Amino acid sequence: MAGGGGPRRCRRLEAEAARAVLAATDTLLFDCDGVLWRGEAAVSGAAAALGRLAAAGKRLCYVTNNSSRTRAAYTEKLRRLGFPPAETRNVFGSAYCAARYLRQALPPGAAAYVLGSPALAAELEAVGIPHLGPGPAALPGPAPADWAQAPLDPAVRAVLVGFDEHFSYAKLCQALRYLLRGGTDCLLVGTNRDNRLPLEGGAAIPGTGCLVKAVETAAQREAFIVGKPNRYMFDCVASEFNIDPARTIMVGDRLDTDILMGNSCGLTTLLTLTGVSTLDEVRGHQDSDCPTRQSLVPDYYVDSISDLLSALGE
């Protein structure tokens, strides 16, 4: 890691330095949207850069807070956009990591009430966790007394909150009732705390963090978050592969998720300027004496992943 003692300083990763950094690296963890692609279009040169990294023997893994796609869907998108072939075991989405966490934390046969997408449900099914909740839901009657008496599944021992386009008051009521019934024996888990999802043209939509906060507020308790910047996602990668943090780079476009997780886990951190965070934000944090803001400063930055091509022999 380039930080060392004292305030962290972020440097542009020029070709000579990039060669030295990559020579000391075995594994690269990539965020996806904003780093490798924007929407359905690959970032120019990103596929070529990852192809050269793979040819150089580097392990490539993909870590994303997006809970609306399965690992299989990510491997297919990587293929479709021309990236090196990836196995599903190299993809660590928040849906998969949430399913992995619940498989370890729940007793056999316990079910989850899910505020989330079909992809989140599919990852639960893949590890054998029964679930209910995905899709639209209506209030079970005209009055609050009806809402408070709707049937509850006796097997539910966890409430899992991911991105849910059908999020509603009815679902919030049901989630709260499961949490009140089970108390601390009913787990509250969120896939991530991303509060806003940027779209092309400067637009944005509310992110999963807004939904997690609604359930936390109703239940008056805090969720366990599996996604970045929580280190649980990195722990999932480390348990699958023999990862040496000192020889691993976290590549991302968001300071508050990608870079914070990488710094917290002792990884070298590389910010790409093709997504959310800006160099002005980096400068604002590195000029601060606040340790919390310093933890958001990456070791290096590039304009785009394609900048690495010059260090890779192109």
Side-chain angles (χ1 to χ4, degrees), residues 186-215:
C186 185
L187 304 177
L188 175 55
V189 179
T191 58
N192 64 85
R193 290 195 185 277
D194 296 20
N195 288 325
R196 185 180 297 178
L197 303 179
L199 304 176
E200 294 298 321
I205 58 173
T208 301
C210 300
L211 313 186
V212 173
K213 179 58 72 174
V215 178

PDB file of all heavy atoms in Angstrom, residues 186-215:
ATOM      1  N   CYS A 186     -34.062 -12.615  14.954  1.00  0.00           N
ATOM      2  CA  CYS A 186     -34.361 -12.390  13.533  1.00  0.00           C
ATOM      3  C   CYS A 186     -33.322 -11.412  12.992  1.00  0.00           C
ATOM      4  O   CYS A 186     -33.252 -10.256  13.416  1.00  0.00           O
ATOM      5  CB  CYS A 186     -35.772 -11.836  13.348  1.00  0.00           C
ATOM      6  SG  CYS A 186     -36.266 -11.658  11.613  1.00  0.00           S
ATOM      7  N   LEU A 187     -32.496 -11.869  12.077  1.00  0.00           N
ATOM      8  CA  LEU A 187     -31.407 -11.056  11.535  1.00  0.00           C
ATOM      9  C   LEU A 187     -31.950  -9.958  10.623  1.00  0.00           C
ATOM     10  O   LEU A 187     -32.936 -10.159   9.911  1.00  0.00           O
ATOM     11  CB  LEU A 187     -30.441 -11.935  10.749  1.00  0.00           C
ATOM     12  CG  LEU A 187     -29.828 -13.131  11.481  1.00  0.00           C
ATOM     13  CD1 LEU A 187     -28.965 -13.933  10.529  1.00  0.00           C
ATOM     14  CD2 LEU A 187     -29.018 -12.662  12.673  1.00  0.00           C
ATOM     15  N   LEU A 188     -31.288  -8.802  10.639  1.00  0.00           N
ATOM     16  CA  LEU A 188     -31.573  -7.730   9.687  1.00  0.00           C
ATOM     17  C   LEU A 188     -30.307  -7.501   8.880  1.00  0.00           C
ATOM     18  O   LEU A 188     -29.269  -7.107   9.428  1.00  0.00           O
ATOM     19  CB  LEU A 188     -31.990  -6.451  10.410  1.00  0.00           C
ATOM     20  CG  LEU A 188     -32.208  -5.212   9.523  1.00  0.00           C
ATOM     21  CD1 LEU A 188     -33.202  -5.483   8.408  1.00  0.00           C
ATOM     22  CD2 LEU A 188     -32.641  -4.019  10.369  1.00  0.00           C
ATOM     23  N   VAL A 189     -30.391  -7.774   7.577  1.00  0.00           N
ATOM     24  CA  VAL A 189     -29.220  -7.734   6.697  1.00  0.00           C
ATOM     25  C   VAL A 189     -29.530  -6.852   5.495  1.00  0.00           C
ATOM     26  O   VAL A 189     -30.615  -6.938   4.904  1.00  0.00           O
ATOM     27  CB  VAL A 189     -28.842  -9.150   6.216  1.00  0.00           C
ATOM     28  CG1 VAL A 189     -27.633  -9.110   5.289  1.00  0.00           C
ATOM     29  CG2 VAL A 189     -28.573 -10.061   7.414  1.00  0.00           C
ATOM     30  N   GLY A 190     -28.580  -5.986   5.127  1.00  0.00           N
ATOM     31  CA  GLY A 190     -28.707  -5.166   3.923  1.00  0.00           C
ATOM     32  C   GLY A 190     -27.587  -5.477   2.947  1.00  0.00           C
ATOM     33  O   GLY A 190     -26.468  -5.800   3.353  1.00  0.00           O
ATOM     34  N   THR A 191     -27.881  -5.373   1.664  1.00  0.00           N
ATOM     35  CA  THR A 191     -26.840  -5.656   0.674  1.00  0.00           C
ATOM     36  C   THR A 191     -25.823  -4.529   0.590  1.00  0.00           C
ATOM     37  O   THR A 191     -24.633  -4.765   0.367  1.00  0.00           O
ATOM     38  CB  THR A 191     -27.442  -5.898  -0.716  1.00  0.00           C
ATOM     39  OG1 THR A 191     -28.204  -4.747  -1.112  1.00  0.00           O
ATOM     40  CG2 THR A 191     -28.338  -7.133  -0.709  1.00  0.00           C
ATOM     41  N   ASN A 192     -26.274  -3.270   0.748  1.00  0.00           N
ATOM     42  CA  ASN A 192     -25.354  -2.134   0.671  1.00  0.00           C
ATOM     43  C   ASN A 192     -26.059  -0.877   1.153  1.00  0.00           C
ATOM     44  O   ASN A 192     -27.282  -0.867   1.343  1.00  0.00           O
ATOM     45  CB  ASN A 192     -24.821  -1.940  -0.753  1.00  0.00           C
ATOM     46  CG  ASN A 192     -25.929  -1.578  -1.735  1.00  0.00           C
ATOM     47  OD1 ASN A 192     -26.289  -0.416  -1.881  1.00  0.00           O
ATOM     48  ND2 ASN A 192     -26.491  -2.573  -2.405  1.00  0.00           N
ATOM     49  N   ARG A 193     -25.275   0.204   1.334  1.00  0.00           N
ATOM     50  CA  ARG A 193     -25.833   1.486   1.766  1.00  0.00           C
ATOM     51  C   ARG A 193     -25.722   2.567   0.689  1.00  0.00           C
ATOM     52  O   ARG A 193     -25.802   3.762   0.996  1.00  0.00           O
ATOM     53  CB  ARG A 193     -25.134   1.975   3.035  1.00  0.00           C
ATOM     54  CG  ARG A 193     -25.454   1.163   4.280  1.00  0.00           C
ATOM     55  CD  ARG A 193     -25.039   1.912   5.532  1.00  0.00           C
ATOM     56  NE  ARG A 193     -25.224   1.117   6.733  1.00  0.00           N
ATOM     57  CZ  ARG A 193     -26.376   0.994   7.379  1.00  0.00           C
ATOM     58  NH1 ARG A 193     -27.455   1.614   6.920  1.00  0.00           N
ATOM     59  NH2 ARG A 193     -26.456   0.261   8.475  1.00  0.00           N
ATOM     60  N   ASP A 194     -25.556   2.201  -0.554  1.00  0.00           N
ATOM     61  CA  ASP A 194     -25.484   3.211  -1.612  1.00  0.00           C
ATOM     62  C   ASP A 194     -26.819   3.957  -1.661  1.00  0.00           C
ATOM     63  O   ASP A 194     -27.855   3.381  -2.010  1.00  0.00           O
ATOM     64  CB  ASP A 194     -25.214   2.550  -2.964  1.00  0.00           C
ATOM     65  CG  ASP A 194     -23.857   1.861  -3.028  1.00  0.00           C
ATOM     66  OD1 ASP A 194     -23.301   1.557  -1.957  1.00  0.00           O
ATOM     67  OD2 ASP A 194     -23.365   1.625  -4.140  1.00  0.00           O
ATOM     68  N   ASN A 195     -26.808   5.235  -1.310  1.00  0.00           N
ATOM     69  CA  ASN A 195     -28.051   5.994  -1.205  1.00  0.00           C
ATOM     70  C   ASN A 195     -28.551   6.558  -2.524  1.00  0.00           C
ATOM     71  O   ASN A 195     -29.737   6.859  -2.661  1.00  0.00           O
ATOM     72  CB  ASN A 195     -27.879   7.150  -0.215  1.00  0.00           C
ATOM     73  CG  ASN A 195     -27.807   6.662   1.219  1.00  0.00           C
ATOM     74  OD1 ASN A 195     -28.463   5.695   1.582  1.00  0.00           O
ATOM     75  ND2 ASN A 195     -26.994   7.319   2.032  1.00  0.00           N
ATOM     76  N   ARG A 196     -27.657   6.720  -3.480  1.00  0.00           N
ATOM     77  CA  ARG A 196     -28.055   7.296  -4.760  1.00  0.00           C
ATOM     78  C   ARG A 196     -27.311   6.588  -5.884  1.00  0.00           C
ATOM     79  O   ARG A 196     -26.106   6.361  -5.784  1.00  0.00           O
ATOM     80  CB  ARG A 196     -27.735   8.795  -4.774  1.00  0.00           C
ATOM     81  CG  ARG A 196     -28.212   9.513  -6.023  1.00  0.00           C
ATOM     82  CD  ARG A 196     -27.874  10.984  -5.969  1.00  0.00           C
ATOM     83  NE  ARG A 196     -28.554  11.668  -4.876  1.00  0.00           N
ATOM     84  CZ  ARG A 196     -28.393  12.954  -4.608  1.00  0.00           C
ATOM     85  NH1 ARG A 196     -27.551  13.682  -5.327  1.00  0.00           N
ATOM     86  NH2 ARG A 196     -29.056  13.510  -3.612  1.00  0.00           N
ATOM     87  N   LEU A 197     -28.038   6.251  -6.942  1.00  0.00           N
ATOM     88  CA  LEU A 197     -27.441   5.583  -8.089  1.00  0.00           C
ATOM     89  C   LEU A 197     -27.407   6.556  -9.258  1.00  0.00           C
ATOM     90  O   LEU A 197     -28.456   6.945  -9.784  1.00  0.00           O
ATOM     91  CB  LEU A 197     -28.262   4.344  -8.469  1.00  0.00           C
ATOM     92  CG  LEU A 197     -28.447   3.312  -7.357  1.00  0.00           C
ATOM     93  CD1 LEU A 197     -29.302   2.150  -7.842  1.00  0.00           C
ATOM     94  CD2 LEU A 197     -27.108   2.813  -6.835  1.00  0.00           C
ATOM     95  N   PRO A 198     -26.204   6.995  -9.678  1.00  0.00           N
ATOM     96  CA  PRO A 198     -26.111   7.963 -10.772  1.00  0.00           C
ATOM     97  C   PRO A 198     -26.454   7.322 -12.112  1.00  0.00           C
ATOM     98  O   PRO A 198     -26.149   6.150 -12.358  1.00  0.00           O
ATOM     99  CB  PRO A 198     -24.651   8.401 -10.717  1.00  0.00           C
ATOM    100  CG  PRO A 198     -23.936   7.258 -10.095  1.00  0.00           C
ATOM    101  CD  PRO A 198     -24.891   6.626  -9.134  1.00  0.00           C
ATOM    102  N   LEU A 199     -27.082   8.090 -12.969  1.00  0.00           N
ATOM    103  CA  LEU A 199     -27.410   7.674 -14.321  1.00  0.00           C
ATOM    104  C   LEU A 199     -26.709   8.610 -15.305  1.00  0.00           C
ATOM    105  O   LEU A 199     -26.173   9.653 -14.931  1.00  0.00           O
ATOM    106  CB  LEU A 199     -28.928   7.710 -14.539  1.00  0.00           C
ATOM    107  CG  LEU A 199     -29.776   6.882 -13.569  1.00  0.00           C
ATOM    108  CD1 LEU A 199     -31.262   7.096 -13.850  1.00  0.00           C
ATOM    109  CD2 LEU A 199     -29.425   5.403 -13.654  1.00  0.00           C
ATOM    110  N   GLU A 200     -26.719   8.223 -16.580  1.00  0.00           N
ATOM    111  CA  GLU A 200     -26.101   9.074 -17.590  1.00  0.00           C
ATOM    112  C   GLU A 200     -26.812  10.432 -17.646  1.00  0.00           C
ATOM    113  O   GLU A 200     -28.015  10.532 -17.398  1.00  0.00           O
ATOM    114  CB  GLU A 200     -26.172   8.385 -18.961  1.00  0.00           C
ATOM    115  CG  GLU A 200     -25.342   7.101 -19.046  1.00  0.00           C
ATOM    116  CD  GLU A 200     -23.859   7.346 -18.837  1.00  0.00           C
ATOM    117  OE1 GLU A 200     -23.346   8.362 -19.335  1.00  0.00           O
ATOM    118  OE2 GLU A 200     -23.211   6.526 -18.169  1.00  0.00           O
ATOM    119  N   GLY A 201     -26.066  11.472 -17.975  1.00  0.00           N
ATOM    120  CA  GLY A 201     -26.650  12.788 -18.125  1.00  0.00           C
ATOM    121  C   GLY A 201     -26.869  13.537 -16.829  1.00  0.00           C
ATOM    122  O   GLY A 201     -27.565  14.554 -16.800  1.00  0.00           O
ATOM    123  N   GLY A 202     -26.294  13.033 -15.717  1.00  0.00           N
ATOM    124  CA  GLY A 202     -26.422  13.714 -14.444  1.00  0.00           C
ATOM    125  C   GLY A 202     -27.652  13.349 -13.642  1.00  0.00           C
ATOM    126  O   GLY A 202     -27.849  13.863 -12.541  1.00  0.00           O
ATOM    127  N   ALA A 203     -28.493  12.468 -14.171  1.00  0.00           N
ATOM    128  CA  ALA A 203     -29.679  12.028 -13.428  1.00  0.00           C
ATOM    129  C   ALA A 203     -29.275  11.016 -12.365  1.00  0.00           C
ATOM    130  O   ALA A 203     -28.159  10.485 -12.362  1.00  0.00           O
ATOM    131  CB  ALA A 203     -30.713  11.418 -14.374  1.00  0.00           C
ATOM    132  N   ALA A 204     -30.181  10.741 -11.434  1.00  0.00           N
ATOM    133  CA  ALA A 204     -29.922   9.766 -10.369  1.00  0.00           C
ATOM    134  C   ALA A 204     -31.244   9.208  -9.877  1.00  0.00           C
ATOM    135  O   ALA A 204     -32.301   9.824 -10.034  1.00  0.00           O
ATOM    136  CB  ALA A 204     -29.154  10.404  -9.221  1.00  0.00           C
ATOM    137  N   ILE A 205     -31.185   8.024  -9.277  1.00  0.00           N
ATOM    138  CA  ILE A 205     -32.349   7.416  -8.645  1.00  0.00           C
ATOM    139  C   ILE A 205     -31.953   6.994  -7.227  1.00  0.00           C
ATOM    140  O   ILE A 205     -30.766   6.814  -6.940  1.00  0.00           O
ATOM    141  CB  ILE A 205     -32.865   6.186  -9.432  1.00  0.00           C
ATOM    142  CG1 ILE A 205     -31.760   5.130  -9.570  1.00  0.00           C
ATOM    143  CG2 ILE A 205     -33.393   6.608 -10.797  1.00  0.00           C
ATOM    144  CD1 ILE A 205     -32.240   3.819 -10.181  1.00  0.00           C
ATOM    145  N   PRO A 206     -32.926   6.846  -6.316  1.00  0.00           N
ATOM    146  CA  PRO A 206     -32.587   6.397  -4.965  1.00  0.00           C
ATOM    147  C   PRO A 206     -31.972   4.999  -4.988  1.00  0.00           C
ATOM    148  O   PRO A 206     -32.369   4.127  -5.768  1.00  0.00           O
ATOM    149  CB  PRO A 206     -33.943   6.395  -4.251  1.00  0.00           C
ATOM    150  CG  PRO A 206     -34.815   7.292  -5.060  1.00  0.00           C
ATOM    151  CD  PRO A 206     -34.361   7.135  -6.474  1.00  0.00           C
ATOM    152  N   GLY A 207     -30.998   4.786  -4.125  1.00  0.00           N
ATOM    153  CA  GLY A 207     -30.326   3.496  -4.053  1.00  0.00           C
ATOM    154  C   GLY A 207     -30.823   2.650  -2.893  1.00  0.00           C
ATOM    155  O   GLY A 207     -31.698   3.060  -2.111  1.00  0.00           O
ATOM    156  N   THR A 208     -30.235   1.479  -2.762  1.00  0.00           N
ATOM    157  CA  THR A 208     -30.646   0.520  -1.737  1.00  0.00           C
ATOM    158  C   THR A 208     -30.525   1.085  -0.328  1.00  0.00           C
ATOM    159  O   THR A 208     -31.303   0.740   0.557  1.00  0.00           O
ATOM    160  CB  THR A 208     -29.806  -0.763  -1.859  1.00  0.00           C
ATOM    161  OG1 THR A 208     -29.984  -1.312  -3.165  1.00  0.00           O
ATOM    162  CG2 THR A 208     -30.206  -1.795  -0.831  1.00  0.00           C
ATOM    163  N   GLY A 209     -29.537   1.945  -0.114  1.00  0.00           N
ATOM    164  CA  GLY A 209     -29.354   2.512   1.219  1.00  0.00           C
ATOM    165  C   GLY A 209     -30.587   3.217   1.746  1.00  0.00           C
ATOM    166  O   GLY A 209     -30.851   3.209   2.956  1.00  0.00           O
ATOM    167  N   CYS A 210     -31.372   3.809   0.858  1.00  0.00           N
ATOM    168  CA  CYS A 210     -32.616   4.467   1.275  1.00  0.00           C
ATOM    169  C   CYS A 210     -33.603   3.446   1.822  1.00  0.00           C
ATOM    170  O   CYS A 210     -34.312   3.714   2.809  1.00  0.00           O
ATOM    171  CB  CYS A 210     -33.240   5.211   0.100  1.00  0.00           C
ATOM    172  SG  CYS A 210     -32.193   6.487  -0.614  1.00  0.00           S
ATOM    173  N   LEU A 211     -33.664   2.279   1.199  1.00  0.00           N
ATOM    174  CA  LEU A 211     -34.590   1.236   1.637  1.00  0.00           C
ATOM    175  C   LEU A 211     -34.110   0.610   2.951  1.00  0.00           C
ATOM    176  O   LEU A 211     -34.915   0.338   3.847  1.00  0.00           O
ATOM    177  CB  LEU A 211     -34.728   0.160   0.555  1.00  0.00           C
ATOM    178  CG  LEU A 211     -34.942   0.660  -0.882  1.00  0.00           C
ATOM    179  CD1 LEU A 211     -35.204  -0.519  -1.817  1.00  0.00           C
ATOM    180  CD2 LEU A 211     -36.071   1.667  -0.947  1.00  0.00           C
ATOM    181  N   VAL A 212     -32.802   0.390   3.054  1.00  0.00           N
ATOM    182  CA  VAL A 212     -32.245  -0.141   4.295  1.00  0.00           C
ATOM    183  C   VAL A 212     -32.538   0.802   5.455  1.00  0.00           C
ATOM    184  O   VAL A 212     -32.941   0.386   6.544  1.00  0.00           O
ATOM    185  CB  VAL A 212     -30.726  -0.374   4.156  1.00  0.00           C
ATOM    186  CG1 VAL A 212     -30.111  -0.764   5.500  1.00  0.00           C
ATOM    187  CG2 VAL A 212     -30.434  -1.448   3.119  1.00  0.00           C
ATOM    188  N   LYS A 213     -32.347   2.093   5.220  1.00  0.00           N
ATOM    189  CA  LYS A 213     -32.575   3.081   6.276  1.00  0.00           C
ATOM    190  C   LYS A 213     -34.043   3.101   6.706  1.00  0.00           C
ATOM    191  O   LYS A 213     -34.344   3.262   7.901  1.00  0.00           O
ATOM    192  CB  LYS A 213     -32.142   4.467   5.800  1.00  0.00           C
ATOM    193  CG  LYS A 213     -32.352   5.574   6.821  1.00  0.00           C
ATOM    194  CD  LYS A 213     -31.615   5.305   8.123  1.00  0.00           C
ATOM    195  CE  LYS A 213     -30.134   5.468   7.970  1.00  0.00           C
ATOM    196  NZ  LYS A 213     -29.423   5.344   9.272  1.00  0.00           N
ATOM    197  N   ALA A 214     -34.959   2.907   5.766  1.00  0.00           N
ATOM    198  CA  ALA A 214     -36.381   2.877   6.121  1.00  0.00           C
ATOM    199  C   ALA A 214     -36.678   1.713   7.067  1.00  0.00           C
ATOM    200  O   ALA A 214     -37.383   1.878   8.070  1.00  0.00           O
ATOM    201  CB  ALA A 214     -37.231   2.758   4.858  1.00  0.00           C
ATOM    202  N   VAL A 215     -36.133   0.537   6.768  1.00  0.00           N
ATOM    203  CA  VAL A 215     -36.370  -0.628   7.631  1.00  0.00           C
ATOM    204  C   VAL A 215     -35.676  -0.433   8.973  1.00  0.00           C
ATOM    205  O   VAL A 215     -36.240  -0.739  10.032  1.00  0.00           O
ATOM    206  CB  VAL A 215     -35.899  -1.919   6.934  1.00  0.00           C
ATOM    207  CG1 VAL A 215     -36.099  -3.126   7.859  1.00  0.00           C
ATOM    208  CG2 VAL A 215     -36.655  -2.131   5.624  1.00  0.00           C
TER     209      VAL A 215
END
